[in-house]
Amino acid sequence: MNANKSVQFTKFVIDDSERTVLESFIYNYSVNLLNCDKNSLRIMTSPFDVYDEFKQYLYSPLYNCITPWMNNPVMGAAVSGYEIAAKTSWLRVQFPLNSKNIKTARYLYKMAKYQVSPLLPIEVKQSQPAKVVQRLQDSCLVNRIVSNSCVILLLKLLNPEMSQDETEVQKCVDLICQDLHKISYRSPCSLICTWPILIAGAAAITQVQKDYFIENLDTFGETYRLKNMSTIGKFLKESWGTDENPGLGWDILLHDDLSKHVFV
């Protein structure tokens, strides 16, 4: 990749290394909104403003790639999914939602539910090595995983009394498990799967689902030496509880002190 390659905007020039730093910041900002409490809102900038400010950099290609999202070094094809995730987390901190936020949540729900995940062009599959194709497909899968996790959290925000046994909720959990299974072993894309695993894991109801989420967290944690993977695993086990002492299930996602339990 040409280190001197840059893209010109009205006020700034950004090169590929700066793009990586910026996107890394936006990703970490997006997922860590889940750790915020109401007091944090006084000093935090809304993701609606943040993404408006930086959208021109996140969605404008530096290079003439076959698909534009290949220019995103951190979030790849999942940029649009994480934009919805950030805004959904922001609404979660403000629960219970007022009429304005309910309207916004319904809009985000439709965006997440009907978002079409990117597909690799046939010429990429034919011209690139198998490992490269797999990594690119992994990125597409992450976007779908994040989007389905947004659907889960938005359903809870809009319907706080809804049971996690509901068909739509469990369909999303199953689809997330299926897509996680398709991601290649030791894929770097697993590094940006903590937010959706936490959300979907809290909504899991079968032992097969629960075991699979813990297995993924253990694998990711061992591969990349990330302590937060085990922290999320402990959080999920707390939310599930046991047969003798059931946990809160996905109700835990609406608790004010969620930020005290987990760091994604």
Side-chain angles (χ1 to χ4, degrees):
M1 187 174 285
N2 183 358
N4 296 319
K5 177 68 177 179
S6 63
V7 59
Q8 176 74 54
F9 292 107
T10 304
K11 295 182 179 180
F12 303 102
V13 174
I14 184 170
D15 62 25
D16 50 3
S17 60
E18 292 167 333
R19 170 72 167 264
T20 301
V21 172
L22 172 62
E23 194 175 329
S24 179
F25 163 75
I26 295 294
Y27 165 74
N28 283 287
Y29 162 83
S30 298
V31 298
N32 284 299
L33 283 172
L34 196 66
N35 301 315
C36 293
D37 55 24
K38 286 184 170 62
N39 290 328
S40 304
L41 298 185
R42 303 172 186 173
I43 58 174
M44 295 285 290
T45 303
S46 160
F48 295 89
D49 294 332
V50 168
Y51 273 89
D52 280 347
E53 178 77 18
F54 294 109
K55 183 166 292 189
Q56 58 179 334
Y57 304 105
L58 293 174
Y59 289 95
S60 296
L62 284 169
Y63 300 95
N64 186 27
C65 299
I66 296 176
T67 58
W69 56 264
M70 289 171 66
N71 283 273
N72 297 103
V74 178
M75 292 182 278
V79 170
S80 57
Y82 270 110
E83 179 175 353
I84 300 173
K87 295 173 180 178
T88 300
S89 291
W90 182 260
L91 293 179
R92 189 208 70 82
V93 180
Q94 301 179 68
F95 182 83
L97 306 184
N98 59 28
S99 58
K100 179 181 178 181
N101 285 337
I102 288 174
K103 183 177 180 180
T104 302
R106 287 173 176 164
Y107 173 73
L108 292 174
Y109 167 78
K110 290 181 180 178
M111 285 186 63
K113 184 175 177 64
Y114 298 109
Q115 183 173 185
V116 178
S117 292
L119 296 175
L120 282 184
I122 188 65
E123 55 265 36
V124 174
K125 296 180 180 180
Q126 293 176 342
S127 64
Q128 298 299 317
K131 288 185 178 180
V132 173
V133 171
Q134 180 62 58
R135 292 293 174 85
L136 295 174
Q137 289 177 330
D138 289 346
S139 188
C140 295
L141 290 168
V142 172
N143 185 61
R144 194 161 62 189
I145 289 169
V146 174
S147 297
N148 278 319
S149 297
C150 289
V151 170
I152 292 172
L153 184 51
L154 287 162
L155 281 171
K156 188 59 177 174
L157 290 171
L158 289 167
N159 310 278
E161 302 303 320
M162 177 183 284
S163 168
Q164 63 196 77
D165 295 345
E166 285 289 328
T167 301
E168 184 174 7
V169 177
Q170 289 308 305
K171 181 180 179 181
C172 287
V173 175
D174 286 337
L175 287 172
I176 289 166
C177 287
Q178 292 170 23
D179 284 341
L180 280 171
H181 182 71
K182 295 174 185 175
I183 292 178
S184 56
Y185 183 64
R186 297 182 182 274
S187 170
C189 286
S190 61
L191 290 169
I192 61 170
C193 284
T194 52
W195 190 95
I197 287 179
L198 187 151
I199 301 299
I205 58 174
T206 71
Q207 195 59 48
V208 172
Q209 292 170 340
K210 295 173 183 178
D211 289 345
Y212 191 69
F213 285 124
I214 295 300
E215 177 186 338
N216 273 271
L217 289 170
D218 288 345
T219 300
F220 297 162
E222 291 174 4
T223 300
Y224 296 103
R225 300 291 190 269
L226 296 176
K227 185 178 180 180
N228 66 329
M229 299 293 185
S230 61
T231 303
I232 294 172
K234 292 177 182 177
F235 167 82
L236 291 179
K237 290 176 182 178
E238 178 184 337
S239 72
W240 299 330
T242 62
D243 291 339
E244 296 75 24
N245 187 23
L248 293 172
W250 76 332
D251 287 345
I252 203 170
L253 297 174
L254 300 185
H255 273 220
D256 292 336
D257 62 350
L258 178 63
S259 60
K260 298 177 183 179
H261 295 279
V262 67
F263 182 78
V264 295

